[in-house]
Amino acid sequence: MIQRETLTINMGPQHPSTHGVLRLVLELEGEVVVSCRPVIGYLHTGIEKEMEHRTYHQNITLVDRIEYLSSYHEEFAYCLAVEKLLGIEVPKRAQYIRVILAELNRISSHLVWLGTSALDLNVTSLLMYCFRDREEILELSEMVSGQRMMPGYFRIGGVQQDLPEEFFPRVRRFLDEFPRRLDEYEVLLTDNLVWRQRNEGVAVLRREDALRYGVTGPVLRASGVPYDVRKAFPYSSYEDFEFDIPVGEHGDAYDRYRVRMEEMRQARRIVLQALDRLPDGPVLVEDRKVALPPRRELVRSMEAVIHQFKLVSEGIHPPKGEVYAAVESPRGEKGYYLVSDGSNRPVRVRVRSPSFSNLQALPVMVQGGMLADVVVAIASIDIVLGDVDR
Amino acid sequence: MAREADLSPVQAFLQERLGEGVLEVHRFRGDATVLVQPDRLLEALSAVKEDPWRFEMLTDLTAWDRYPTEPRFEVVYHLLSLSRRERLRLKTRVPSSDPVLPTAIPLFAGANWFEREVWDLFGIRFAGHPDLTRILLPDDWEGHPLRRDYPLTEEPVEFRGYTPKVPSQTIPHVPPHRREDP
Amino acid sequence: MARVDLDAEAEGLRRNVLTTTVDRMLAWARSSSVWPVQFGLACCAIEMIATTTSKFDIARFGMEAFRASPRQSDLMIVAGRVSQKMAPVLRHIYEQMLEPKWVIAMGDCASCGGVYNNYALVQGVDKVVPVDVYVAGCPPRPEALLYGLMKLQEKIREQGKLGTLRRAASVRVG
């Protein structure tokens, strides 16, 4: 009598290829994965509960740290939700600035993905190149907001301050050189036999499964669904810009790679258009019940002092209600569901995290594949565990 | 919650289809919301999932605690129709004495982890869920943290001779304003 | 018998031969090739990876070999917030490391809980493992992490001078 047994192994939470503290309980038959059960929660920070005890402005600091690779998108989504709740309109210049920074953040997040995914497949030098490019974007971020990561730059009603003069020549220089660098990386990977064999047909997610699991972002687009929040529900002047949405066909890791590489080029395209057409004007809404008055007004106007005092000691008081606002983060649809009861603290802040939904589709992707393909699958979904666990 | 005119077609459809099952319907800042009875929830979800509404994707399933108002928990389903580019919010309320809802997994497979998270953080059970265990917190955790009566569990900072305020009290909670939304 | 010029001999010896204690030799060797274990948890991990890349180059300190296995490493850089679920895992990994071992708490969350003060996080990783160097920042710049690493190297060399190296190695942990 021959008995067959499957081998259950544990991958993580401390593992070089899980891109964070993710634990996978894999059931293997030889090298073939029979089932995969992700165990998450190793980075659960209680941010949603923490946000219920802080004012709306204080929460901007907390939301930065959820999806830490794309902090600008987090702030973007949160500020959009609060502005929707308040019913205020952000000045046009601030909208364009937000778009510029968000798209630069998309490029830097995809560069991290490219570097770390390539590292998983042992293309070790690409990590250095991608992070070299990312350093330039981080320096731009530092120029604008003072911080490389976790900028805390967006405010409810606009952005904290205008872009400095040094920003423009620097960003144009970066964007001029960037396509050539992307071409270099594509030459290394796109037609590389080893890269293709390890990525084509691996971690396939069919269109129906993607829709069933609520998958969004490049993973959904690689499976053939042309859904992008920037095109479907345009926010913050995205309708002013011309850009394409790359859509894949097979839903495998190779298509996801192609989609993200093309997204970086399209992001560059959007930034160039926004820089060319950047309108003049204020960068923060003028409503003194929402945004702090500029410093020079405090010397002259008693009312400004009172507004400043009220805003700093209490915060804003949005009307009672609930809203949902979403942006297209590098990983998918990042949404914020805010419930307010009229006081200065939110009643509930729910972060709709794209990585949480995308990770739920992982068992479907790796079933029947080899163990080595699990690494490729995790890398191609591009999860950020801070976003999964919050 | 402020009321605005012009309910969306899907809201009107649900009102007609479920009749007494729809408790509240409104639009606020462009978001269409429908509040249904818990026993009519699955019916509402499957009704909007098919043609011509085609809300194929469940983007979010969450809850919030209305303590001390009863029914205590409001469970919120965010639906998305990719082809028609429309969003819908379906809500239902469950009391604290018996927080149970039927699972939405037969309709949307993605509800699996969402429901586990709601169970983990709020204690709302989903009947028929294949594996309703904790997902974000350790398996032996007691309590459901996102409930309003669960304390934030702040640790006081160690200072000698002076006890500073805990961080959540540095800016105090100001109760709701009387200002109504016009 | 030829006369030996003692002064010149002494001078020659001083120039060509280095005398030291065994402890200092060990300390110099240990501090020059500290191998960290890959323990990036959250946002600080990204800055830790940035420290290993070409702009900040941790390799000039001999630390570019981030080992996946704790059995092969000396240093644990706890980069990121430690949740209640992760704390036992952290302790487990720490105990698997061989003596001598050091811990750097990188970032505010690992040092003291950081921006967060709630049910889910351990307020400072020093509640779980003994920490040698705290690097503040949210996240600390790569230069700050490098400064922290240099401080650790100083600490290791100091232990060599004080002769506490081998005594520390004989202390059982846990």
Side-chain angles (χ1 to χ4, degrees), chain A residues 251-287:
Chain A
D252 57 6
Y254 188 70
D255 273 357
R256 284 173 216 140
Y257 156 77
R258 296 296 297 270
V259 163
R260 288 193 182 105
M261 294 302 278
E262 186 56 33
E263 274 186 10
M264 284 199 260
R265 295 184 198 274
Q266 295 299 321
R268 170 183 171 271
R269 199 169 152 197
I270 299 175
V271 178
L272 283 173
Q273 288 174 50
L275 284 172
D276 289 333
R277 298 187 232 152
L278 190 63
D280 292 320
V283 293
L284 197 55
V285 73
E286 302 277 322
D287 188 350

Side-chain angles (χ1 to χ4, degrees), chain A residues 327-377:
Chain A
V327 305
E328 180 75 22
S329 89
R331 273 149 210 91
E333 177 177 321
K334 157 108 322 181
Y336 271 78
Y337 172 60
L338 272 179
V339 180
S340 155
D341 62 350
S343 67
N344 64 334
R345 292 179 180 179
V347 170
R348 173 88 170 106
V349 182
R350 156 74 179 176
V351 183
R352 192 271 169 192
S353 108
S355 305
F356 188 80
S357 303
N358 293 1
L359 190 60
Q360 213 183 149
L362 179 70
V364 171
M365 282 191 221
V366 302
Q367 172 123 32
M370 310 271 260
L371 178 60
D373 296 337
V374 174
V375 169
V376 175

Side-chain angles (χ1 to χ4, degrees), chain A residues 14 40 42 50 139 142, chain C residues 38 55 83 85 118 141:
Chain A
Q14 187 259 349
I40 58 175
Y42 289 96
E50 184 103 22
E139 289 201 4
E142 198 181 359
Chain C
Q38 287 169 358
K55 185 168 178 186
S83 72
K85 202 165 171 178
N118 57 32
R141 289 186 63 104

Side-chain angles (χ1 to χ4, degrees), chain C residues 142-154:
Chain C
E143 290 101 328
L145 179 62
L146 286 175
Y147 183 63
L149 287 166
M150 283 165 59
K151 280 279 172 221
L152 181 71
Q153 285 183 323
E154 257 180 58

Side-chain angles (χ1 to χ4, degrees), chain B residues 77-108:
Chain B
Y77 294 73
H78 281 99
L79 296 161
L80 169 67
S81 170
L82 293 101
S83 37
R84 294 175 49 246
R85 298 186 170 187
E86 198 181 317
R87 293 194 200 271
L88 177 67
R89 186 180 303 133
L90 266 177
K91 304 199 290 189
T92 183
R93 291 182 182 152
V94 286
S96 56
S97 53
D98 184 29
V100 183
L101 275 177
T103 179
I105 294 180
L107 290 168
F108 302 102

Side-chain angles (χ1 to χ4, degrees), chain A residues 53-102:
Chain A
H53 293 260
R54 305 257 183 280
T55 64
Y56 288 89
H57 267 109
Q58 288 177 318
N59 284 339
I60 297 178
T61 318
L62 288 177
V63 304
D64 270 340
R65 289 151 173 85
I66 299 178
E67 197 179 334
Y68 36 82
L69 284 175
S70 50
S71 309
Y72 282 105
H73 292 271
E74 284 285 346
E75 292 178 9
F76 209 161
Y78 177 72
C79 290
L80 282 181
V82 182
E83 285 151 15
K84 189 172 174 181
L85 188 61
L86 288 166
I88 58 176
E89 178 79 24
V90 176
K92 205 72 175 160
R93 187 177 173 90
Q95 288 185 11
Y96 274 55
I97 293 178
R98 282 180 171 182
V99 166
I100 291 173
L101 291 170

